């Protein structure tokens, strides 16, 4: 009788929820739903945090552990009080990037990496499935409570069946209202409204039971407080470590849980709603937790020993015969369970569909976004299938785990699991240096440790994790025990698991981030996320090269539907000043389009789809620079500074070089003038002296006079020669020389030159070995100038070769287009430190012997340069050696 | 002349708004501080009964909610409820 | 007993010219034509006057003069420097080193004769 009523109420309540959701959707569609978007609806929707686990379980928790249950609410309250720090930024980022889930947010932040999204999705599914099972269990248990108070056979034959019915019903509701539309812009008004109503129901139910207990059973506030202090709940100590750890983990879970992210960020209508929620939500959970201890204490006191404290909220009213209140209480629990399951399955199905199904479909499906069939249908189907799959997974877990007490312990374990994304999330929001690999490493490390230290042990005595295994550790290695890693065995197992998984997660994340280098798109997204308040525009990462707008249109229509797609394209075209429906594929337009698509299919998928059409997934460094983003500007600025710096350094070096050269030239000029002065004055001195002697007539004998006149004559010739050389050099250096080229036979020219030099000497003071090949080709060159060089070299050998029997060897050779003529004597040669000096003007080998002014070799070098060849000193030939290089063809 | 990005002198309302924001930022730390105190009391059951701890925790909770609600109200009225500008 | 003039010069024609005009005036002229052993020659010959060129093979006239003035025994020995390097800084250098007279080539014979006479009779 009672149970039938219960089922009727239950079905009626579900229809009521359907009705609310339907009306809300309709009102939103007609644009009349302003009240739907109020900040109070937002606040109430956040109450999906309070699941059946907290509705029923908090009392059981308090009965077992005293005030510790409060931590589950204190954590989220602190997060809401501190909304300015994290939630504000999270919501802003979520809105500006059109984020669809927490996996999408992380993927988007870390370079639109789908791998990261897949990992987070798997983590979320693994962490959430037991939790969904827990909700199913709570509802079936509550049926059982009613059944036990009434001796009729239950309406549903066993737990598994009722859970299946429940899962199926929730799947239908979620599919109908959760996947009606695709664009997250419009959000799930129906669902949110239903959740808000459920929030009121569960709050009202719990307060009603609490008020009944305090004033109806206990007899007033003071009596209740006395009873609390007298009960065994009061004797339970407060464990500081657990207290802190659970407060922290529930605070973190409040942000990281997929369903919380869904209502906090994805369904958020306006940032100001957060401001209201920052005090209204803590007030809500305060009320939710207010009567928990009284219910627990009174329950322990008056209910028979052995009653399940997790169900006191139900069994207490039933025990005292208040069936109406019991049904209300049941509805509260039912609301808690269903709202959690609905939102969680929407959040998970979005992740599974966007990050696992869609990428697979894109890769293996009909071959690309622009050719295949209706993407919209595929997405909707994949979402619906995912919802069904998630619920089925929860149901299976419930059946397989046997629905025992093991399930009750899963709440905090589940929290710790999803919290493994926290380091990557906070790092992504506040630290530009966080990289994709860092995030992946951190999450994987945390996930693995969570599985090992918390999740697998929580399943109880299983084949994989037997009690022996837990006690002894793998292979008997005690410091690897799942609940006593590295010897930390005295810690509470939960605190232990939280400690190791999160600390190593964070270390892995930070360390890998520090040693890896992010890709351009990661850096761009990093800047967009971290500095979201500086520029709330989103990533303009597409370089619109050859993107065919029409293909984009075709694709967009399939995802957003033709009407919305056309409206979007038209608006964008008008914005660009283009008539018609096809805007230019500018980076701005592609950015807007990508964000719109991301609202439906997630950032990574949207990026991939546009990438397929636009071609080229990568963002070049140039594109990055072009984006008016702080990083780019900073980089550009510092690059410019660096360039300027290099330029300045270069200029300074040039100036310094020029200055050195000038100084050198000035010194050379100085030395040159001094040299010329000396060379001119010396013969002049002799001339003047003897001329005076002759003039004064004091020369004495006639022969002396003749001799003096001869000296004057010689010195005059010397002067003339010097002046000739200077003139010659000057002409050569200034390039004013005229070359008289003709075919020259080199061996003949060498022979003639040698003869010229040796002609003057009475006895041949130098023996010359001519080894110049007769077969050398004729060279087109200036015979007189080349002869001048040869004469100079031979004369030098005659003058300076200091061997007792001086010999000069003239050898020819050929290398490619060049002919070498080596003049090698058997003297001591040119000292090494003088070798690079001898071609300078006025440099002399040895000191001031009679003869030239030291201009000979300088002139030779000038001539050879003019003739397109070269002359150089050839060291290591066992004597003075000069090499004359001549091109076969004279290139003029 | 455009004003520099980080203005030194702000309008009175702007100044007031920033101090409200400062107060909001400090609030969670105040909460942590106040809620840690019962842990320091320890299990000295004679002076600190469970009911008194519970009352203390709830009192702090109510206080924080009230202060936050007041700050939100002030913030709404300080700048018309819209954007608050860059995070400083 | 005629006074001795030591002429250190490497240019043969100039040696001949100066020897001729000073011998004619009654000086005994001793010549030497390279730089590196010039100081020893001065020691050995102990002349009444040294005529010194600057650009000498082996050791420059400046170096010879400096080393000469480092030996205190030769403080009183007058030195006449003759050089083709007639720049002001060369003259300054010579005067710093303690030259008695500095003349630039080319010179007039009468100037040299006069200078020699002055320096020896001091």
């Amino acid at each position: 009788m009672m149970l039938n009523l219960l089922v009727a109420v239950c079905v009626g309540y579900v229809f009521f929820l359907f009705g609310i959701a339907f009306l809300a959707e309709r009102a939103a569609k007609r644009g009349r739903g302003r009240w739907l978007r109020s900040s109070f609806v937002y606040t109430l929707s956040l109450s999906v945090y309070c699941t059946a686990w907290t509705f029923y379980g908090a009392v059981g928790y308090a009965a077992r552990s005293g005030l510790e249950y409060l931590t589950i609410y204190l954590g989220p309250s602190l997060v809401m009080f501190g909304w300015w720090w994290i939630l504000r930024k999270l919501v802003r980022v979520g809105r500006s990037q059109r984020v669809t889930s927490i996996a999408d947010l992380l993927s988007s932040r870390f370079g639109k990496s789908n791998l990261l999204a897949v990992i987070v999705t798997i983590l979320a599914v693994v962490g959430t499935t037991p939790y969904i099972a827990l909700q199913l269990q709570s509802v079936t248990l509550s049926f059982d409570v009613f059944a036990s108070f009434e001796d009729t056979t239950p309406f549903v034959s066993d737990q598994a069946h009722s859970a299946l019915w429940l899962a199926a019903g929730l799947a239908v509701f979620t599919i109908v209202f959760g996947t009606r539309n695709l664009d997250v812009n419009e959000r799930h008004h129906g669902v949110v409204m239903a959740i808000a109503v459920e929030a009121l129901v569960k709050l009202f139910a719990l307060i009603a039971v609490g008020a009944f207990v305090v004033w109806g059973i206990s007899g007033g506030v003071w009596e209740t407080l006395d009873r609390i202090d007298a009960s065994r709940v009061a004797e339970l100590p407060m464990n500081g470590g657990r207290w802190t750890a659970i407060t922290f983990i529930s605070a973190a879970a409040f942000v990281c849980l997929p369903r919380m992210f869904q209502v906090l960020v994805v369904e958020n209508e306006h940032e100001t709603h957060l401001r209201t929620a920052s005090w209204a939500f803590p007030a809500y959970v305060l009320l939710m937790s207010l009567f928990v201890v009284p219910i627990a204490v009174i329950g322990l006191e008056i209910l028979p020993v052995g009653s399940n404290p997790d169900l006191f909220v139900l069994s207490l009213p039933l025990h005292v015969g208040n069936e109406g209140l019991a049904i209300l209480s049941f509805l509260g629990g039912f609301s808690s369970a269903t709202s959690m399951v609905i939102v969680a399955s929407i959040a998970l199905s979005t992740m599974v569909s966007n990050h696992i199904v869609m990428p697979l479909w894109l890769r293996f499906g009909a071959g690309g976004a622009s050719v295949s069939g209706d993407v919209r249908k595929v997405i909707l189907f994949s979402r619906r299938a995912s919802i069904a799959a998630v619920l089925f997974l929860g149901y299976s877990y419930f059946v397989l785990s046997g629905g025992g007490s093991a399930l009750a312990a899963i709440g905090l374990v589940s929290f710790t699991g999803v919290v493994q994304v926290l380091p990557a999330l906070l790092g992504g929001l506040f630290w530009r240096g966080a990289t994709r690999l860092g995030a992946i490493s951190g999450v994987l490390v945390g996930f693995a440790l969570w599985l090992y230290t918390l999740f697998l042990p929580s399943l109880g005595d299983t084949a994989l994790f037997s009690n022996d295994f837990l006690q002894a550790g793998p292979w008997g290695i005690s410091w690897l025990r799942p609940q006593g890693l590295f010897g930390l065995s005295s810690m509470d197992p939960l605190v232990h698991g939280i400690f190791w998984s999160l600390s190593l997660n964070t270390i892995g994340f930070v360390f890998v981030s520090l040693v890896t280098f992010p890709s351009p798109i990661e850096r761009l997204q990093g800047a967009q996320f971290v500095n979201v308040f500086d520029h709330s525009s989103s990533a303009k990462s597409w370089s619109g090269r050859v993107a065919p707008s029409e293909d984009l249109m075709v694709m967009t229509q399939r995802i957003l539907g033709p009407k919305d797609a056309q409206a979007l394209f038209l608006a964008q075209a008008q914005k660009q000043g283009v008539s018609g429906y096809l805007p230019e594929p500018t980076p701005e337009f592609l950015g807007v389009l990508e964000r719109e698509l991301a609202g439906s299919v997630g950032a990574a998928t949207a990026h991939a789809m546009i990438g397929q059409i636009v071609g080229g997934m990568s963002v070049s460094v140039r594109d990055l620079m072009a984006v008016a983003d702080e990083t780019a500007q900073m980089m550009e600025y510092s690059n410019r500074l660096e360039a300027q710096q290099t330029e300045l350094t270069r200029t300074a070096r040039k100036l310094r070089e020029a200055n050195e050269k000038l100084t050198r030239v000035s010194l050379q000029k100085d030395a040159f003038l001094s040299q010329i002065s000396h060379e001119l004055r010396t013969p002049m001195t002799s001339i003047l002296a003897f001329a005076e002697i002759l003039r004064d007539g004091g020369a004495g004998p006639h022969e002396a006079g003749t001799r003096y006149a001869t000296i004057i004559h010689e010195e005059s010739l010397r002067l003339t020669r010097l002046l000739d050389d200077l003139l010659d050099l000057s002409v050569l250096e200034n390039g004013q020389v005229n070359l008289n080229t003709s075919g020259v036979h080199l061996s003949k020219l060498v022979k003639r030159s040698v003869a010229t030099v040796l002609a003057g000497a009475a006895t041949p003071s130098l023996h010359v070995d001519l080894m110049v090949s007769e077969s050398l080709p004729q060279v087109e060159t200036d015979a007189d100038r080349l002869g001048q060089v040869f004469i100079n070299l031979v004369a030098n050998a005659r003058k300076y070769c200091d061997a007792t029997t001086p010999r000069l060897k003239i050898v020819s050779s050929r290398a490619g287009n060049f002919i070498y003529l080596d003049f090698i004597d058997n003297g001591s040669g040119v000292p090494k430190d003088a070798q690079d000096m001898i071609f300078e003007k006025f440099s002399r080998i040895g000191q001031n012997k009679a003869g030239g002014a030291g201009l000979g070799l300088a002139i030779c070098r000038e001539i050879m340069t003019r003739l397109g060849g070269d002359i150089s000193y050839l060291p290591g030939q066992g004597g003075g050696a000069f090499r004359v290089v001549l091109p076969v063809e004279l290139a003029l | 002349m455009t004003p520099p990005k980080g203005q030194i002198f702000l309008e009175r309302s702007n100044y007031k708004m920033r101090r409200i924001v400062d107060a909001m930022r400090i609030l969670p730390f105040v909460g942590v501080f106040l809620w840690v105190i019962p842990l320091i009391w320890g299990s000295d059951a004679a002076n600190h009964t469970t009911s008194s701890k519970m009352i203390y925790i709830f009192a702090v909770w109510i206080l924080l909610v009230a202060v936050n609600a007041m700050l939100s109200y002030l913030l709404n009225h300080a700048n018309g409820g819209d954007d608050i500008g860059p995070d400083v | 007993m005629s006074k001795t003039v030591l002429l250190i010069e490497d240019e043969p024609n100039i040696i001949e010219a100066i020897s001729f005009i000073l011998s004619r005036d009654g000086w005994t002229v001793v010549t030497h034509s390279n730089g590196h052993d010039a100081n020893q020659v001065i020691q050995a010959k102990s002349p009444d006057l040294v005529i010194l060129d600057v650009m000498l093979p082996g050791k420059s006239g400046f170096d010879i003069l400096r080393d000469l003035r480092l030996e205190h025994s030769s403080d009183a020995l007058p030195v006449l420097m003759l050089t083709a390097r007639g720049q002001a800084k060369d003259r300054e250098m010579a005067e710093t080193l303690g030259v008695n007279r500095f003349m630039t080539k080319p010179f007039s014979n009468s100037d040299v004769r006069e200078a020699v006479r002055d320096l020896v009779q001091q």
Side-chain angles (χ1 to χ4, degrees), chain A residues 670 674-675 677-678 681-682 684-686 688-690 692-693 698-700 707-708 711 714-715 718 847-848, chain C residues 10-11 13-14 16-17 20-21 24 55-58 84-87 89 104-110 113:
Chain A
D670 215 30
S674 179
Q675 284 282 1
S677 159
H678 182 263
R681 280 165 195 266
T682 303
M684 205 71 97
T685 308
S686 305
L688 197 60
F690 287 111
E692 263 186 55
I693 294 168
R707 179 173 156 67
Y708 295 159
I711 291 174
E714 276 174 8
E715 293 287 14
R718 183 175 159 192
Q847 280 279 340
N848 210 17
Chain C
D10 65 331
E11 194 67 33
N13 290 336
I14 295 176
E16 189 168 350
F20 179 81
I21 53 175
R24 210 174 46 179
M55 306 269 276
L56 287 166
R85 288 171 52 157
Q87 292 182 1
K89 61 178 184 189
T104 322
K105 295 174 185 173
F107 45 79
S108 109
N109 292 351
S110 51
R113 291 161 62 198

Side-chain angles (χ1 to χ4, degrees), chain A residues 792-863:
Chain A
N792 210 300
L793 288 174
V794 179
N796 272 355
R798 197 188 59 156
K799 269 187 267 179
Y800 302 119
C801 182
D802 50 4
T804 38
T805 47
R807 300 180 79 91
L808 175 68
K809 187 165 70 165
I810 305 175
V811 189
S812 71
S813 56
R814 189 173 172 186
N817 277 330
F818 291 98
I819 294 168
Y820 296 154
L821 285 168
D822 296 341
F823 292 72
I824 306 168
D825 68 31
N826 60 345
S828 56
V830 179
K832 199 169 165 39
D833 55 341
Q835 281 170 12
D836 57 341
M837 289 290 298
I838 50 176
F839 293 103
E840 299 299 324
K841 293 181 278 274
F842 299 113
S843 74
R844 267 176 235 163
I845 304 164
Q847 280 279 340
N848 210 17
K849 275 204 191 167
L855 290 173
L857 285 174
I859 291 172
C860 288
R861 190 180 57 178
E862 287 298 332
I863 291 171

Side-chain angles (χ1 to χ4, degrees), chain A residues 289-511:
Chain A
S289 54
L290 193 56
F291 292 105
V292 167
V293 174
I295 295 172
V297 167
I298 305 299
L300 286 171
E301 213 177 288
I302 65 172
L303 286 176
V305 180
S307 305
N308 184 357
D310 282 335
L311 293 168
F312 280 178
V313 182
L314 265 184
S315 49
L316 211 53
L318 279 175
H319 183 76
V320 295
N322 192 336
E323 288 172 359
L325 187 62
I327 287 180
L328 181 63
S329 168
F330 168 81
L331 280 183
F334 187 72
S335 297
S336 309
T338 51
S339 58
M340 181 273 163
V341 174
I342 289 166
V343 180
S345 57
I346 287 179
L348 287 183
S349 72
T350 307
M351 289 194 213
V352 170
S353 163
N354 283 353
H355 301 303
I356 296 178
V357 179
M358 282 310 291
L360 289 177
W361 183 83
L362 271 181
R363 181 170 297 177
F364 300 111
S370 60
V371 258
S372 59
D374 194 337
V375 182
R376 207 172 142 78
K377 273 189 186 143
V378 175
I379 297 169
L380 278 178
F381 176 76
S382 115
R383 288 259 174 103
R384 287 169 183 166
S386 302
I387 288 174
V390 164
L391 284 169
F392 181 73
L393 219 58
Y395 170 73
S396 311
Y397 189 91
F398 166 68
V399 173
L400 290 176
S401 70
S405 60
L407 212 48
I410 205 80
L412 284 171
V413 173
S414 170
F415 271 25
T416 313
V418 293
V419 161
Q420 297 307 324
V421 300
L422 184 75
L425 179 69
L426 292 186
L429 283 180
F430 293 98
W431 182 34
R432 291 252 295 261
T435 68
R436 185 178 71 96
L437 287 174
I440 289 174
S441 319
V443 171
L444 283 181
V445 166
F447 190 29
L449 278 162
W450 171 72
L451 282 177
Y452 188 69
T453 61
L454 286 174
F455 185 73
L456 293 176
S458 81
L459 297 180
D461 195 1
T462 58
L464 189 61
F465 271 58
S466 64
N467 284 335
D468 286 349
F469 182 87
L470 285 180
Q471 289 305 311
W475 307 290
I477 303 169
S478 66
W479 55 269
L480 281 181
R481 285 193 302 123
Q483 298 183 335
L485 275 185
F486 310 116
L488 273 184
S489 49
S490 60
M491 238 185 217
D492 177 89
L494 180 72
V495 179
H496 171 268
I498 292 172
F499 174 77
W500 281 119
S501 62
L502 273 180
S503 58
L504 294 182
N505 176 338
T506 309
I507 289 169
F509 168 60
V510 172
F511 178 76

Side-chain angles (χ1 to χ4, degrees), chain A residues 554-884:
Chain A
V554 170
M555 179 189 69
T556 313
Q557 280 185 350
R558 284 207 217 91
I559 295 169
L560 299 180
K563 229 169 72 188
D564 289 352
Q566 282 159 16
L568 172 69
F569 274 61
L570 189 63
Q572 288 296 318
Q574 277 170 357
K575 210 164 147 193
Q576 290 182 2
V578 179
S579 62
Y581 279 95
L582 296 179
E584 291 298 312
T586 60
E588 286 76 18
F589 168 62
L590 291 174
V592 169
L593 185 62
E594 188 185 325
R595 258 186 292 124
E596 289 293 333
L597 295 181
S600 299
V601 294
T605 308
H607 196 69
M609 289 176 111
I610 292 187
Q612 276 191 345
I613 290 172
V614 177
M617 282 282 292
S618 64
V619 179
S620 72
V621 176
R622 201 169 49 81
D623 291 338
L624 186 70
M625 299 290 277
V627 173
D629 141 56
E630 193 196 36
T631 340
Q633 279 172 1
M634 289 283 288
M635 268 168 66
E636 208 173 356
Y637 183 60
S638 75
N639 277 355
R640 244 191 347 251
L641 273 183
E642 208 170 301
Q644 274 172 6
Q645 176 103 11
T646 346
E647 183 70 34
L648 275 177
T649 316
R650 202 161 42 228
T651 312
R653 199 173 53 233
K654 273 186 188 156
L655 276 175
R656 207 163 43 237
E657 279 168 5
N659 187 41
E660 275 166 15
K661 199 166 177 179
L662 272 178
T663 314
R664 216 163 43 230
V665 165
S666 154
L667 281 176
Q668 273 175 358
K669 203 163 187 174
D670 215 30
F672 183 66
L673 281 175
S674 179
Q675 284 282 1
I676 289 181
S677 159
H678 182 263
E679 298 299 328
L680 288 172
R681 280 165 195 266
T682 303
M684 205 71 97
T685 308
S686 305
I687 294 169
L688 197 60
F690 287 111
E692 263 186 55
I693 294 168
L694 290 175
R695 185 196 63 194
D696 297 346
H702 180 58
E703 310 86 68
T706 313
R707 179 173 156 67
Y708 295 159
T710 310
I711 291 174
I712 291 174
H713 181 248
E714 276 174 8
E715 293 287 14
S716 302
L717 286 178
R718 183 175 159 192
L719 261 179
T720 312
R721 225 170 30 239
L722 178 67
L723 290 171
D724 283 346
D725 280 359
L726 278 173
L727 205 62
D728 205 12
L729 192 63
S730 158
V731 165
L732 284 165
E733 277 186 342
N734 292 326
Q736 295 159 335
V737 67
N738 288 319
L739 297 177
N740 301 313
T741 57
S742 56
V744 174
H745 203 273
L746 279 176
S747 67
K748 280 183 190 161
L749 182 62
V750 171
K751 244 178 244 166
R752 207 162 54 230
S753 304
V754 170
T756 309
V757 175
L758 298 184
T763 52
S765 55
L766 179 73
H767 186 268
V768 179
D769 296 328
L770 272 176
M771 297 159 78
V772 179
S773 166
E774 297 287 336
S775 64
L776 281 177
Q778 285 218 338
V779 178
E780 196 69 20
T781 192
D782 186 320
D784 289 346
R785 285 296 184 179
L786 192 57
Q788 195 183 344
V789 172
F790 293 163
I791 288 168
N792 210 300
L793 288 174
V794 179
N796 272 355
R798 197 188 59 156
K799 269 187 267 179
Y800 302 119
C801 182
D802 50 4
T804 38
T805 47
R807 300 180 79 91
L808 175 68
K809 187 165 70 165
I810 305 175
V811 189
S812 71
S813 56
R814 189 173 172 186
N817 277 330
F818 291 98
I819 294 168
Y820 296 154
L821 285 168
D822 296 341
F823 292 72
I824 306 168
D825 68 31
N826 60 345
S828 56
V830 179
K832 199 169 165 39
D833 55 341
Q835 281 170 12
D836 57 341
M837 289 290 298
I838 50 176
F839 293 103
E840 299 299 324
K841 293 181 278 274
F842 299 113
S843 74
R844 267 176 235 163
I845 304 164
Q847 280 279 340
N848 210 17
K849 275 204 191 167
L855 290 173
L857 285 174
I859 291 172
C860 288
R861 190 180 57 178
E862 287 298 332
I863 291 171
M864 289 318 298
T865 310
R866 291 285 147 219
L867 295 179
D870 192 20
I871 180 168
S872 57
Y873 186 74
L874 204 61
Q877 303 298 319
F882 291 86
R883 165 167 288 182
V884 174

